[in-house]
Amino acid sequence: MSSTKQSVTVIGLGPMGQAMVAAFLDRGYGVTVWNRTASRADALVARGAVLAPNVKEALASNELVILSLTDYDAMYATLEPASAALAGRTLVNLSSDTPERARTAARWASERGAVQLTGGVTVPPSGIGQAESSTFYSGPRQVFDQHRPALEVITGRTDHRGEDPGLAALMYQIGMVMFWTSMLSYWQAIALANANGLTSADILPHAVETANSLPGFFSFYSERIDAGRHMGDVDRLAMGMASVEHVLHTNADAGVDTALPAAVAALFRRGMDADHAADSFSSLVQLMTKAEA
């Protein structure tokens, strides 16, 4: 272990917070911790972390404060009673929430003399401390640059997206849109396989091959979508409509839940009703960009 470097405070010791504290300790940082359930700090204290008796003392112990909480409601509930100790602190808020709530929280912190860097960690706890892992950040660039060495302990790659404190939260939520929907599609595939006597192991190679094909589609359609080109020279929405209905009927025939494929089919039908039958199914982006009235 190297000699002690800058000290940090970590508030919130769920699996992610604990992984962050461990990474800082591994790099020789002094770490003060606080968690509502103090016993979660026991193993970290045994490794050298200091458990603050309350949030006020946790904030007072270091200028750099890492927040790893469930959401911004938890952040307010935790920090508001100790808000007098926020002046002069940099809050690296890695709690998940919406871009607009990140902006509101940044203003709230500023009114109390603190500055917020919004963060969106793109890996699970097992990826914390890894050089290849990455985190989105947004907020004051000068503050980001000042604390970059510490931020690179959390994940080796740090991507500052701009001064707007909501941008890191936006990038994080974009990833979550894709992650949760993609994983649900895999659960749907497993349910369909199980209903037909196959296991998840039986379909795993096919599932991986299908997932690995997606980056090519992302790249192909990205340029066209940005240019507003949805011509049906490669695919047509009408063809996709038939396919998603086949998916829906296959799941229904197998007796598995059809909520997800039915939602996909409904979106395709909206595109058909909007006269996009001869266009590419990428034209659905135009429908999805604005919610239905």
Side-chain angles (χ1 to χ4, degrees):
M1 181 180 295
S2 61
S3 60
T4 302
K5 305 176 183 179
Q6 173 186 0
S7 295
V8 301
T9 291
V10 177
I11 294 178
L13 296 178
M16 187 70 80
Q18 293 203 24
M20 292 176 188
V21 174
F24 280 118
L25 292 173
D26 287 344
R27 300 287 185 89
Y29 279 70
V31 187
T32 298
V33 299
W34 183 88
N35 191 71
R36 191 174 301 277
T37 303
S39 60
R40 288 189 179 178
D42 290 349
L44 299 170
V45 169
R47 291 192 53 194
V50 175
L51 176 63
N54 53 57
V55 176
K56 182 179 179 180
E57 292 196 29
L59 292 171
S61 63
N62 294 297
E63 186 268 328
L64 181 61
V65 180
I66 312 295
L67 302 177
S68 181
L69 301 166
T70 303
D71 53 29
Y72 281 25
D73 283 340
M75 182 271 291
Y76 290 123
T78 299
L79 298 187
E80 183 65 66
S83 59
L86 286 171
R89 302 293 173 262
T90 294
L91 304 178
V92 179
N93 199 338
L94 302 179
S95 311
S96 173
D97 220 311
T98 69
E100 191 52 43
R101 296 207 75 192
R103 296 181 182 107
T104 300
R107 291 191 293 269
W108 178 88
S110 178
E111 290 165 359
R112 287 152 182 81
V115 61
Q116 174 176 289
L117 277 179
T118 308
V121 183
T122 66
V123 294
S126 59
I128 296 300
Q130 303 300 314
E132 66 276 11
S133 298
S134 64
T135 301
F136 293 111
Y137 291 99
S138 63
R141 178 74 197 214
Q142 180 180 359
V143 176
F144 169 81
D145 289 339
Q146 177 186 350
H147 294 292
R148 188 166 189 167
L151 302 180
E152 289 176 342
V153 172
I154 298 172
T155 59
R157 295 161 54 203
T158 56
D159 185 353
H160 187 264
R161 303 298 293 192
E163 298 281 324
D164 177 355
L167 289 176
L170 174 62
M171 294 300 293
Y172 176 79
Q173 296 301 343
I174 286 171
M176 290 299 96
V177 164
M178 298 184 65
F179 176 78
W180 294 121
T181 309
S182 298
M183 291 305 296
L184 279 177
S185 72
Y186 182 42
W187 301 163
Q188 185 77 44
I190 291 173
L192 180 58
N194 290 168
N196 286 275
L198 300 176
T199 67
S200 58
D202 291 330
I203 70 166
L204 180 59
H206 180 38
V208 170
E209 184 177 7
T210 301
N212 286 343
S213 72
L214 293 178
F217 289 100
F218 294 165
S219 297
F220 176 80
Y221 284 105
S222 177
E223 182 179 351
R224 290 182 167 217
I225 290 171
D226 286 348
R229 297 163 52 213
H230 301 287
M231 61 279 205
D233 58 328
V234 174
D235 72 277
R236 291 185 295 115
L237 183 64
M239 295 168 52
M241 182 79 255
S243 177
V244 298
E245 286 188 332
H246 297 158
V247 171
L248 175 60
H249 296 155
T250 299
N251 280 272
D253 290 348
V256 302
D257 186 273
T258 59
L260 183 59
V264 173
L267 184 57
F268 273 71
R269 289 192 194 100
R270 281 178 54 201
M272 296 287 287
D273 293 343
D275 296 325
H276 290 296
D279 298 331
S280 167
F281 86 117
S282 65
S283 61
L284 294 178
V285 169
Q286 296 174 328
L287 299 181
M288 298 168 77
T289 299
K290 186 175 181 179
E292 282 189 291

